[in-house]
Amino acid sequence: MTFIPHVIDGEEVESLDGARFESVDPWTRAPWAEVALGDARDAERAVTAARRAFDTGPWPRMGYAERGKILHRLADLIEARGGELALADTTDMGKPISDATAMDVPRSAHNLRFFADHARMSVGDLLPMDTGHHAYTRFEPAGVVVAIAPWNFPLMLETWKVAPALAWGNCVVLKPAEDTPASAHILGRLANEAGLPPGVLNVVQGYGPESAGQALTEDARVDRITFTGESGTGRAVSRAAAANLTPVSLELGGKGANLVFDDADLERAVRWSIQAVFSNAGQVCLAGSRLFVQRGIFDAFLDAFTAAADAMVAGDPKDPSTKLGPLSSEAHFNKVREYVEGAVGEGATIVTGGVGDGWVIRPTILTGASATARVRCEEIFGPVVVVDAFDSEDEAVAAANNTPYGLNAMLFTENLSRAHRVAAALRAGTVWTNCFFIRDLRAPFGGVGDSGVGREGGNFSREFFTEPKAVVMEITPAPRA
Ligand code: TXE
């Protein structure tokens, strides 16, 4: 069986106590790899390596251009090894290989290229003062960054965190989710090959609570923690970080609203709405899992939406024609299945969907769910959508905002004023109008309420991963002649 080690201080290593765990392929439902099971001592070893690399190594002292060259080389290697990386994520968590190849891998390379260039071209403020002084800003690396990643977009979210941290001169300890160790390990290996000095990017495998993940959040030598995962876990990470006053960036769960108005382009609204809730088998924090459709087009929309959902090819994620794979693990499959099976008792009608082969849940569309139904209120993280009709714009906005989450929302309309009005009224970190998932990496990304704390992307990543320093200078007046 394949063995997946840690990558610490430039070396591929076992856990100190030699412990291992198995990674299960959710399609075959059989273990496919043995993984080093990191604990607090392995986490401690990785932070020590990162600390040394930061305090005494060349990485934070290099110019942006030189660092950028190495990060671009890493992006080249990601592209060259795209097939292996895509297969790693597909085998670990069941995402369709076509998505991993067309989306996750190119976006991961792009994350590195974008942040390498962004850091190099970034400009700070220069503030001429009336008092005869001037002030300017230096963006100095924060130090040791811990990046804790989830399993739904393994490589893509890991690079989203690692790239800006490295580009700004930090040294990183990455802990991938226990369900998806493989692509992070390859990333660690490629980082060595690209020429990152030892200790600059360390990958510690293992679990979160009372294990490697938690130990990383409690280590006082860590300067920043960036986390993506469940909102409850975000609270635990935040509590641990507070003990050391370590700044955190938290990207948490969501229950995205998708508003389709009468005047929407129906074909476009259906196409994006399908993508929004069924891509990656709905295991997307941004999923548009609450769909509100204006009454005038409700029936026409629901017919077209249901037909498109039924047409999604479900099955073996390694088959390039598959659009919907299994859920990431047995535990997660059981959790989503319980939501679907419980929905009817909560007043819902299952328009289409239900349990498929193995750990597959087919695209599931529910109508009529009660106001307090769990399927309406909780993040399911599966291919399940609750659909409701609405009459007025105000009613739709109020319904969309009726959630503790606020990661993102979508709206479909051809009315320009309404598009801007509703985008402004929605309580969310990102609003997509007539599209979904399109990102400019300069834009802020993050959520309000239970969806997170802070923003990343472009200058927002710069603020988080650096210690901005103000330098104030007095300009001596010219001596009198
Ligand atoms: O997430 P966790 P899980 C949601 C989704 C899913 C649920 C559970 O609803 O069903 O969360 O998924 C590490 N200290 N999302 O269990 O537990 C853990 O090892 C430090 C939403 O995978 O949040 C992993 O690396 N680290 C989501 C990472 O945190 C800890 C993406 C995420 O795990 C830790 C994934 C601790 N105390 C799931 N506990 C999104 N918003 O994108 C866990 N970890």
Side-chain angles (χ1 to χ4, degrees):
M1 207 184 292
T2 309
F3 174 60
I4 300 176
H6 310 289
V7 181
I8 298 177
D9 216 3
E11 305 280 336
E12 299 189 47
V13 293
E14 289 258 15
S15 289
L16 286 169
D17 64 3
R20 296 181 174 194
F21 68 106
E22 286 179 337
S23 184
V24 172
D25 175 338
W27 177 247
T28 62
R29 289 176 277 161
W32 77 276
E34 272 198 329
V35 189
L37 175 56
D39 63 11
R41 286 198 305 149
D42 300 296
E44 198 268 329
R45 185 163 54 140
V47 175
T48 300
R51 192 73 259 169
R52 190 178 335 107
F54 185 80
D55 291 340
T56 60
W59 188 253
R61 292 156 193 89
M62 269 180 200
Y64 295 111
E66 205 181 336
R67 272 204 303 262
K69 242 189 255 169
I70 296 175
L71 296 177
H72 274 283
R73 213 178 296 142
L74 179 54
D76 293 342
L77 289 170
I78 287 175
E79 283 162 353
R81 308 281 269 280
E84 189 189 343
L85 284 159
L87 189 60
D89 278 351
T90 293
T91 311
D92 262 342
M93 58 71 69
K95 80 168 54 232
I97 191 81
S98 54
D99 289 349
T101 308
M103 218 268 286
D104 296 59
V105 169
R107 247 303 292 285
S108 300
H110 180 59
N111 284 339
L112 286 152
R113 296 194 193 288
F114 170 84
F115 283 110
D117 294 347
H118 182 263
R120 188 167 52 84
M121 294 193 283
S122 190
V123 287
D125 291 326
L126 176 63
L127 308 169
M129 298 165 69
D130 288 345
T131 52
H133 301 80
H134 73 240
Y136 63 91
T137 321
R138 288 174 49 81
F139 292 99
E140 300 184 348
V144 171
V145 171
V146 160
I148 300 180
W151 46 261
N152 56 338
F153 292 93
L155 184 67
M156 192 173 106
L157 289 177
E158 284 152 13
T159 50
W160 167 247
K161 294 173 180 307
V162 163
L166 292 178
W168 286 102
N170 300 285
C171 296
V172 177
V173 180
L174 166 65
K175 200 204 76 64
E178 52 274 20
D179 289 332
T180 51
S183 58
H185 166 237
I186 300 172
L187 179 69
R189 243 180 28 210
L190 295 183
N192 293 342
E193 205 176 316
L196 265 89
V200 172
L201 175 61
N202 307 277
V203 181
V204 177
Q205 305 286 357
Y207 289 80
E210 288 166 30
S211 186
Q214 186 177 326
L216 290 172
T217 63
E218 290 172 348
D219 196 316
R221 298 169 299 163
V222 169
D223 300 291
R224 293 288 185 279
I225 299 172
T226 167
F227 169 82
T228 300
E230 213 242 48
S231 298
T233 314
R235 288 187 169 88
V237 168
S238 199
R239 273 194 298 271
N244 297 315
L245 296 178
T246 309
V248 291
S249 170
L250 306 174
E251 245 179 63
L252 309 176
K255 192 74 182 172
N258 179 2
L259 278 46
V260 181
F261 288 89
D262 274 350
D263 64 357
D265 174 332
L266 192 66
E267 184 279 326
R268 179 156 69 171
V270 169
R271 181 164 39 88
W272 282 119
S273 300
I274 287 281
Q275 178 85 3
V277 72
F278 298 134
S279 62
N280 212 35
Q283 300 165 123
V284 185
C285 49
L286 301 162
S289 52
R290 294 179 303 137
L291 180 49
F292 301 95
V293 185
Q294 206 162 11
R295 204 164 308 271
I297 55 157
F298 186 85
D299 291 340
F301 179 91
L302 191 61
D303 286 350
F305 185 61
T306 306
D310 288 342
M312 283 185 87
V313 180
D316 181 354
K318 296 190 195 82
D319 179 335
S321 64
T322 295
K323 292 286 171 227
L324 185 113
L327 295 184
S328 63
S329 67
E330 184 171 23
H332 189 53
F333 165 72
N334 284 330
K335 177 179 151 186
V336 177
R337 186 177 61 177
E338 276 168 30
Y339 277 110
V340 173
E341 288 174 351
V344 175
E346 298 181 310
T349 300
I350 301 180
V351 178
T352 190
V355 175
D357 295 333
W359 295 341
V360 170
I361 300 277
R362 290 184 290 117
T364 300
I365 300 174
L366 306 172
T367 54
S370 70
T372 55
R374 290 180 62 218
V375 285
R376 175 188 299 288
C377 303
E378 296 173 14
E379 181 179 50
I380 299 176
F381 225 61
V384 183
V385 62
V386 173
V387 191
D388 291 293
F390 69 88
D391 291 302
S392 71
E393 185 181 307
D394 285 351
E395 181 193 348
V397 168
N401 287 342
N402 184 20
T403 171
Y405 292 111
L407 193 55
N408 65 298
M410 281 150 274
L411 70 119
F412 292 86
T413 179
E414 295 297 300
N415 178 326
L416 189 61
S417 292
R418 170 146 64 200
H420 289 297
R421 218 167 40 228
V422 174
L426 289 167
R427 190 174 159 271
T430 299
V431 175
W432 278 291
T433 301
N434 293 329
C435 61
F436 172 68
F437 215 64
I438 306 295
R439 294 278 312 280
D440 183 315
L441 302 191
R442 292 169 297 186
F445 184 77
V448 304
D450 284 0
S451 289
V453 175
R455 297 289 184 276
E456 293 186 25
N459 286 344
F460 300 89
S461 296
R462 178 182 70 184
E463 313 294 297
F464 181 70
F465 290 114
T466 63
E467 289 288 4
K469 176 187 280 176
V471 180
V472 183
M473 276 187 78
E474 185 162 84
I475 302 165
T476 314
R480 292 221 187 98

